Every structure is written in structure tokens, then in C-alpha cells.
Amino acid sequence: MNSELSIVTLVLHASLLVQFVMALLLLISLGSWTVIFRKGFAIRAAQRATDDFESEFWKDRDLGTLYEEVRTGRADHGPLARIFESGMSEFLKTRQQKPGDVAAMLDGSRRAMRAAYQREMDALESNLAFLASAGSVSPYIGLFGTVWGIMNSFRGLANVHQATLSAVAPGIAEALVATAIGLFAAIPAVVAYNRYAYDMDRLATRFDGFVDEFSNILQRQAR
């Protein structure tokens, strides 16, 4: 590769605005990869904890014992365990305050589980909006840098008597680097966002199913 057209040389010789665009895109890319790794670890941990808790829950164990283990920290405090803890806590509290009122027990328990469910989903979905924004905006930021660089290249040709490919190629190459960096920032963010959105939809479905099943169990126990 011609040293004059190496990536480093093109970046160093780009106009100040194009360099700023490249730096901004690199910061966006760094932020995206940080979110990608952190969110990936968080979702996998939530999936493992959900699998473990469901396994414990469906072992036909005493719910009071399981509740004590979750409440005291002896059982894994994954998102589903916290939903269970909220529902069971509200159920026991309402049963003491309004013994015999099955509707109040079930309604309070379900509302507590729904609130806990929303908190867990909000925590899992945090920073996903950044990935969506990075994936949609980065190509346009890179395109802006490219358009600006090409404009400067053609403006420079106004002072040249004979335009040749060797005269215009470096300027256009500098500009196209901005588009390449924009795509480098956008593609991983879009792929990760779509994958994590799918994973969280599956977790939300599992949480919803658990709330309904646990409510049915509590209804049988409340009678």
C-alpha cells in the first residue's frame, strides 16, 4: 500500500472537521462495545439465574422455605427470584392484615410482582437505547464527514490547472475513511441491539408466565 494512502496517513492529513468526526465516531464505537460487553454479561447472568430459580421453584418445595432462602440471601437473587419474593411477601402481609380475603391477597401479590417485573425489565433494558442510537446515527455522522471531505477535495481542484486521479484520490480517500469508521461503529451496535432485544423479549415472556403460574398457585393456597 502506498504510504500516502495508508489509513494512519489519511487520518492525519484529513481536515480538522473530518478528524473531529472520526474521533466522535471512535468514541461512539468505544461506548457501544462497552455497553455490548456489559449488557451481554448481564443478560447471560439473568438467564442463568432464571434457569436456576425455575429449577428450584418447580421441585415441589415448600414455598415458605423457598421464600425464606430468597429473602435471607441463601438462594440466588436473580430477577425471577426477586419477582417471586415481592409477590410472596405481599401475599403473606395481606393474609395477616385481611385473613380470608382471597381477592385482596391475590390482587396485592399480582400487583407487587408486576411492579418487580417492571423494575427488572427496566434494569435489563438500560443503555439499550444507546446501542439503537449508535446504530442509526453513526452512518450519517460518517457520511457527513465524507461529504465534507469530498467537498474540500473538489474545492482544492479549483486551483489546479489539470485535474488528475492522483491529485484527487488522497482527498477522497480521506473522506471515505469517515464512512468506514461510521459503519464500524454502527454494525456491531445494530447486531447487538437486535440480539439483546430478542433475549429480553424471551425473558419477559418467561417472567409473565411465572407471574400467572405463581398467581394460580397462591390462589389454591389462599382457599
Side-chain angles (χ1 to χ4, degrees):
M1 178 184 291
N2 189 336
S3 61
E4 293 184 358
L5 295 180
S6 67
I7 299 297
V8 175
T9 303
L10 292 175
V11 171
L12 292 177
H13 287 81
S15 66
L16 188 61
L17 180 60
V18 175
Q19 287 181 339
F20 173 77
V21 168
M22 293 177 183
L24 177 61
L25 289 170
L26 288 175
L27 287 175
I28 292 174
S29 179
L30 179 62
S32 295
W33 280 107
T34 301
V35 173
I36 287 170
F37 283 115
R38 292 181 61 184
K39 191 58 59 179
F41 291 139
I43 291 176
R44 281 195 292 273
Q47 289 170 333
R48 287 194 300 268
T50 299
D51 291 339
D52 293 342
F53 181 77
E54 281 187 331
S55 177
E56 288 295 319
F57 182 82
W58 293 113
K59 282 182 179 178
D60 198 22
R61 296 181 53 188
D62 178 67
L63 292 181
T65 303
L66 181 59
Y67 169 68
E68 285 300 320
E69 290 181 1
V70 173
R71 189 176 64 86
T72 58
R74 296 197 300 271
D76 183 21
H77 270 64
L80 195 58
R82 288 188 286 270
I83 293 173
F84 163 79
E85 181 184 5
S86 296
M88 193 68 180
S89 175
E90 187 64 27
F91 177 80
L92 295 174
K93 186 186 304 180
T94 307
R95 188 166 65 177
Q96 288 180 346
Q97 296 172 349
K98 301 177 181 179
D101 193 343
V102 177
M105 292 184 226
L106 295 177
D107 184 59
S109 176
R110 181 176 285 273
R111 283 189 286 105
M113 285 191 287
R114 286 294 173 189
Y117 161 86
Q118 193 58 56
R119 286 194 299 270
E120 297 299 331
M121 292 308 301
D122 286 345
L124 286 172
E125 291 173 355
S126 64
N127 297 323
L128 268 191
F130 177 80
L131 290 182
S133 298
S136 60
V137 171
S138 294
Y140 294 104
I141 296 176
L143 183 60
F144 169 75
T146 297
V147 170
W148 186 269
I150 291 176
M151 285 172 54
N152 282 340
S153 296
F154 282 110
R155 283 168 57 190
L157 291 178
N159 300 322
V160 178
H161 295 292
Q162 184 177 2
T164 63
L165 183 61
S166 60
V168 74
I172 294 177
E174 292 169 5
L176 290 176
V177 171
T179 295
I181 297 175
L183 294 175
F184 176 78
I187 292 173
V190 171
V191 172
Y193 175 82
N194 290 333
R195 176 61 191 182
Y196 294 160
Y198 171 75
D199 289 340
M200 282 187 293
D201 282 343
R202 293 187 62 188
L203 280 172
T205 300
R206 294 175 68 180
F207 296 164
D208 269 328
F210 176 81
V211 169
D212 292 336
E213 291 169 342
F214 186 42
S215 296
N216 291 335
I217 293 173
L218 291 178
Q219 184 176 17
R220 291 193 296 270
Q221 289 199 352
R223 291 175 179 173

